[in-house]
Amino acid sequence: MEPTAPILFFDSGVGGLSVLGPARQLLPNAPIVYAADSAGFPYGKRTEAELAIRVPALLGRLVERFRPRLAVIACNTASTIALDHARAALDIPVVGTVPAIKPAAELSRSRVIGVLGTEATVRQPYVDDLAERFASDCIVIRHGSPELVELAEAKLAGEPVAIQAVHDAVAPMVLQPDGERMDVMVLACTHFPLLADEIAAAFPAIAQVDGGPGIARRIAYLTQGQDWPGEPYAGIAVFTGGPPTELAPALARFGLTDIQSL
Ligand code: DGL
């Protein structure tokens, strides 16, 4: 394995940065390619059939161009729908992002947890399965919020995000039956940890759990013993919809200074 072989992170937009952040802490010298399917954004509004074709096809092009050692689908929507298709299509390890229902159930005292994702993620049988396996004694309330995805994009583009707007996007979850007893929410969309402070300000009594740190540990485990460059490497951000200049400062905070188009 060449030390310069990168790790590829993939999302529809900036959400995967919430997975890249913890991964960089564990592997600070890892060369990174961060790919955003901005031309296909938002995934939460797409159909299962579309994503099952689009995601593996894009990953195939990215793998051919950048020759990564490992790919991370840093998107719950794409993972819950297309992870198996992507694994079948690629000849490198593919790490997925699944809603952190297990740790949320372990943490909950009230036994009411929320799953906050995209509309596409919260309707997946995969989520039923996780709830059944890891939270069978919990009430699991789901809510899909396209508004919160847009607010996360806006925040990273440097726009001010009002706590009230975040509150209004999450409130329909808490207003569902038994919602007043919810003590843990799963941030089941990688965009949402980017708004963790705003969500905490709007709902201070509800703990948040997301998959980012667990995925970072999984990446570190799968690359154990592999060689890395001796110092941090300039990361590449690649966009299917043309390079977005307004995101450059946020991308630079994650070490992504070379912005390209796919
Ligand atoms: N970040 C994505 C996720 O984790 C999807 C957001 C979107 O494109 O709707 O589900």
Side-chain angles (χ1 to χ4, degrees), residues 183-195:
D183 62 351
V184 183
M185 67 171 107
V186 180
L187 303 184
C189 168
T190 52
H191 277 73
F192 300 167
L194 302 172
L195 293 169

Side-chain angles (χ1 to χ4, degrees), residues 11-13 15-16 41-45 74-78 97 118 121 149 188-191:
D11 183 35
S12 58
F41 174 89
Y43 275 8
K45 293 207 170 287
C75 172
N76 286 265
T77 311
T97 310
T118 64
T121 294
V149 175
C189 168
T190 52
H191 277 73

Side-chain angles (χ1 to χ4, degrees), residues 194-249:
L194 302 172
L195 293 169
D197 293 344
E198 290 81 358
I199 297 171
F203 296 92
I206 307 181
Q208 303 170 23
V209 178
D210 77 270
I215 299 163
R217 287 194 296 274
R218 180 81 189 140
I219 297 166
Y221 173 78
L222 289 173
T223 57
Q224 236 172 18
Q226 296 182 5
D227 293 333
W228 301 103
E231 54 191 40
Y233 216 71
I236 297 171
V238 55
F239 290 80
T240 58
T245 47
E246 67 282 6
L247 289 175

Side-chain angles (χ1 to χ4, degrees), residues 130-143:
L130 290 172
E132 176 69 26
R133 279 167 59 206
F134 301 117
S136 57
D137 66 333
C138 292
I139 295 170
V140 180
I141 297 175
R142 302 160 188 220
H143 178 57

